[in-house]
Amino acid sequence: MKKPTLFIIALFISMLSMSENLFSPDKNFQLNFSINNEGIAQYALVYKTKTVIKTSNLGLELKNDPALIKGFTIQKTEVNTVDESWKPIWGEVKEIRNNYNELLVFLEQKTEKRWMKIRFRLFNDGLGFRYEFEKQPNLNYFRITDEKTQFALTGDHTTFWIPGDYDTNEYTYTTTKLSEVDASKVDGTGIGTHGYFAKNAVQSPLMMKTAEGLYISIFEAALVDYSAMQLLIDQKNFVLTSALVPDAVGTKAYMQTPQHTPWRTVIVSDKATDILASKTILNLNEPSKIADPGFIKPQKMIGIWWGMHVPNTMSWNYSHSPNIKLKDTDWNALTPLPQHGAKTENVKRYIDFAAAHGFAGVLVEGWNVGWEDWAGNWKEEVFDFITPYPDFDIKYLNEYAHSKGVKLIMHHETSASVTNYERRIDKAIDLMKQYGYDAVKTGYVGWIIPRGEHHDGQWMVNHYNRVVEKFANNKIMVDAHEPVRPTGLHRTYPNLLACEAARGNEFNAWSAGNPPEHETILPFTRLMGGPMDYTPGIFEIKMSYYDPKNTNQVHTTLAKQLALYITMYSPLQMAADLPENYEKRMDAFQFIKDVAVDWDDTKYLEAEPGDYMTVARKQKNSDNWFVGGITDENSRIALLPFSFLDEKTWYVATIYADAADADWKANPMAYKISKMLVNSKSILKQKLACGGGFAISLKKAGKDEIKALKKL
Ligand code: NOJ
Ligand code: CA
């Protein structure tokens, strides 16, 4: 009976030891957990002999209770290995491998008679860990005033950052060394609600690159019943510390045991493309809670939408009245504006366009009463979400849409009056069910009501999650604008198709816009947590088209707008421009009609944050592939090997590229479409203009095509 004796000795040693090591399944990562002489829990992370995180402290400060920081001893540890696969309801790949080694550390704080666990999961592309609190006599209810999780970095890394801000993430990115971060220098013009809380604070997901060429992403997964984690930078020692978003009275989180925090994540590779391909955030989220996901349909949509963002085209509001009260207004007595976007004949035109070109959804904004004074007044009773304007025939339009195989997408702009929305949401859902809506776009423009709460605080986090769950129970898909940024919760609630939670294409219509590098950074930052409703597909690039004096413009070429359907992953994609702008360029519009939104496979071929990216995706249940390539303000030549294609098979490649003289500023709408045969041995040399891109659709070639087309 040798084994039990050995086991007891091993257990005894592990109980005495104040340090534990854990390796990733492929042994590339090593985690060290230790307790220092003050009893502070610490961890360190090494990747392929390079230190990524130096010894860093863990712990939390509490209100009116001793901190959960010092005086800990290791009671015991448990290790575990998981290697399984699961199939997402929709996604970038058909199947996801969840493979990690786990270390669970049981800590005791003897002086306080309290216990805390820290659970580490080490994957082949990085680390996740979280704090867990069991039910116990001396830790029932507690309030977190600060989480003190540290990420001690090895140097002054290059970082792609937006300012720490409790209410918005709609910034452009700044690229500097950690020591040079200064949130006070960032211009927030055009963002409804903004304000940095410390000069040295940045938001997560935070993307960094070290001088040695390591790519590091720090973020969180499964943000549930807690506030979002931003990061404070110690600019001398390069230590990041978690900074949670406070509530109206300054508390960061209200806890009741048993409870745990979200996962803190460190994803690392020496290849930038590995960061984009990581599934660790999803793997750290719970499996789908939706038993009957049949109602969830990845889709393309058009909308009564861009017309409100470009100059002189459409309005959300029905009338010009600047002072509306929901209760007292006689809407029929108001004079309708000719440019009201949601008027019945205009919506009908959009339904016809959607039906003619195969779009499943038509978003209609400005359909409901209240838009006359919706923004900026911090007013509670703005919308009721059930009363259509007199010129929006809700019954007729839904019936007409359904008769053509199209569905209207509901819009609930809450104007951030969340109390009002929560009071009225059940009736709003009843209305949706009455007319057969199965998707909603929510919005939270403005300062939150209850006043003093923040978009990214625990109270709002719970609100967004409650709303997604409520819609799931009612078989409704969600696209949330201005929510907290996603943290992989779409695995658990796949009815959450997409979120905004970053600076979308709309900024190009009415502000200084998004610089050409913006779309090369978003996949490394915001998209780490989930799909974005970026609203690509703008063909009429310059706003002078609508108003000769207006100098705003989309900061890309037209071909890059097509590439975004592939590079900016989302199961919900909008053809965002006006139908009449597509009708002028049906040859380029063909790509938007053809492109898929759900995938069996994805290959990130090349990428560098802030510079460029090329990705190939295989359409779900199909042999078709689509490729998107984008660049920043610099032109470049992409070398594209088609090695991902089936061997010994010819494919017809339709290439939508920048014309030779295209340039995002001087000549953005010049594109060239060509067709040729390629196979798995072909390599394409593709030029991208400054601010440009290319999109390719690939279909297996028929005999006639093999005869007729040129081979690459
Ligand atoms: C901001 C959203 O991002 C945009 O898509 C929407 O049209 C307006 N708010 C109005 O809700
Ligand atoms: Ca760049």
Side-chain angles (χ1 to χ4, degrees), residues 170 304-305 308-309 316 363 365 371 374 411-414 441-445 481-482 500 502 506-507 510 533 535:
E170 297 187 355
I304 309 279
W305 180 75
M308 283 85 127
H309 291 270
W316 283 284
L363 169 72
E365 297 200 0
W371 287 88
W374 72 286
H411 186 223
H412 290 164
E413 173 55 64
T414 67
K441 169 177 170 181
T442 57
Y444 297 87
V445 171
H481 277 229
E482 300 89 27
E500 186 189 39
E506 65 189 34
F507 274 78
W510 37 254
D533 182 19
T535 64

Side-chain angles (χ1 to χ4, degrees), residues 60-73 75 106-117 132-143 257:
L60 306 120
E61 269 169 10
L62 310 185
K63 187 161 176 108
N64 303 331
D65 278 314
L68 286 161
I69 296 181
K70 291 184 181 167
F72 282 110
T73 50
Q75 231 189 345
F106 293 70
L107 297 171
E108 180 175 15
Q109 201 180 29
K110 284 215 171 79
T111 48
E112 309 303 327
K113 292 204 173 62
R114 295 189 301 191
W115 291 267
M116 175 169 91
K117 290 189 265 188
E132 300 183 355
F133 314 97
E134 298 255 320
K135 211 167 162 185
Q136 50 191 287
N138 289 348
L139 199 63
N140 278 317
Y141 297 94
F142 61 103
R143 294 179 192 185
T257 54

Side-chain angles (χ1 to χ4, degrees), residues 517 610-611 632-634:
E517 67 170 13
D611 292 342
D632 62 1
E633 68 284 359
N634 302 306

Side-chain angles (χ1 to χ4, degrees), residues 135 310 543 655 669:
K135 211 167 162 185
V310 297
M543 296 305 121
I655 306 173
M669 284 148 68

